[in-house]
Amino acid sequence: MGRAFVLSLGEITLLGAALLSLGYFAGNSKAKFRSSSSSTTALSKGVVATTDSEQRAFVLAVNLKFTTLTHRDTFLQLIDPVCKDVLANEGPLLKQTSATSNSSTTETTLSYKVAISDKNPLMVLILERYSDKSNGYLKVHRSGREFLKFREQLKAMQEEGGVVIEGESYVETEL
């Protein structure tokens, strides 16, 4: 089984901020923002962000609350193959191995992390970062064989009342 991390809410927030900035500061061309030639919108307090969201990383924060530890542990077993598949076929290590393979696939998933709350062991967070929404998330990730299998299993658990799922999507800013 993959590794699960136990984090406080504050640590989860810091992890999210760190992961968001890591893609930008690491020089990942897929996570970089459009040049100044793209249109911009002034936000409150003088912050400027580009309006072309397709060129910035797309982020999902999915919160899951399980009714029992058995449901949570089952979920962790179910998501393990997804995490391995993402790392092998979509993720950061792909850049390192693609030079030796004939794969034409490019990195579309910038990070994919599962965290368990340190305050409530029934709470789990999946923090996902993609190169963009239309290709990285919708086309590549959501069509993955392991993801599709996992999604059906998670949906069954949700319909049984074993988990409540809430989530938000975000587009990274230049901050």
Side-chain angles (χ1 to χ4, degrees):
M1 179 185 304
R3 289 186 262 168
F5 298 94
V6 178
L7 302 170
S8 70
L9 184 57
E11 290 171 323
I12 290 171
T13 302
L14 287 174
L15 174 65
L19 289 172
L20 290 173
S21 62
L22 181 62
Y24 179 74
F25 291 113
N28 181 327
S29 63
K30 291 289 183 184
K32 285 186 180 178
F33 307 108
R34 287 195 64 132
S35 68
S36 59
S37 64
S38 65
S39 59
T40 59
T41 303
L43 303 175
S44 64
K45 298 182 182 177
V47 176
V48 177
T50 62
T51 57
D52 187 356
S53 63
E54 286 302 310
Q55 296 301 314
R56 291 182 273 144
F58 178 71
V59 181
L60 288 177
V62 182
N63 292 290
L64 303 100
K65 183 167 185 180
F66 296 91
T67 55
T68 67
L69 288 175
T70 301
H71 285 113
R72 186 210 61 194
D73 292 344
T74 299
F75 163 81
L76 292 173
Q77 290 174 350
L78 295 174
I79 200 167
D80 184 55
V82 177
C83 294
K84 289 176 180 171
D85 184 62
V86 164
L87 189 61
N89 298 307
E90 303 171 26
L93 292 181
L94 188 61
K95 288 170 87 176
Q96 297 170 3
T97 60
S98 64
T100 59
S101 72
N102 293 329
S103 173
S104 61
T105 307
T106 58
E107 175 187 42
T108 56
T109 302
L110 305 175
S111 62
Y112 196 85
K113 300 291 181 182
V114 177
I116 300 172
S117 169
D118 69 334
K119 293 186 171 114
N120 182 350
L122 298 176
M123 296 289 298
V124 173
L125 169 74
I126 306 171
L127 187 59
E128 310 170 40
R129 286 183 65 244
Y130 301 94
S131 56
D132 62 288
K133 184 177 181 178
S134 63
N135 184 54
Y137 173 65
L138 293 173
K139 185 177 177 186
V140 176
H141 179 70
R142 290 188 51 112
S143 66
R145 183 177 53 88
E146 291 297 336
F147 173 79
L148 293 171
K149 180 178 161 186
F150 162 76
R151 186 61 193 118
E152 287 303 313
Q153 295 166 323
L154 184 60
K155 183 179 178 184
M157 186 185 294
Q158 189 177 16
E159 290 171 354
E160 294 169 0
V163 63
V164 174
I165 303 171
E166 295 179 356
E168 290 294 330
S169 60
Y170 304 88
V171 175
E172 286 186 355
T173 68
E174 294 185 37
L175 303 176

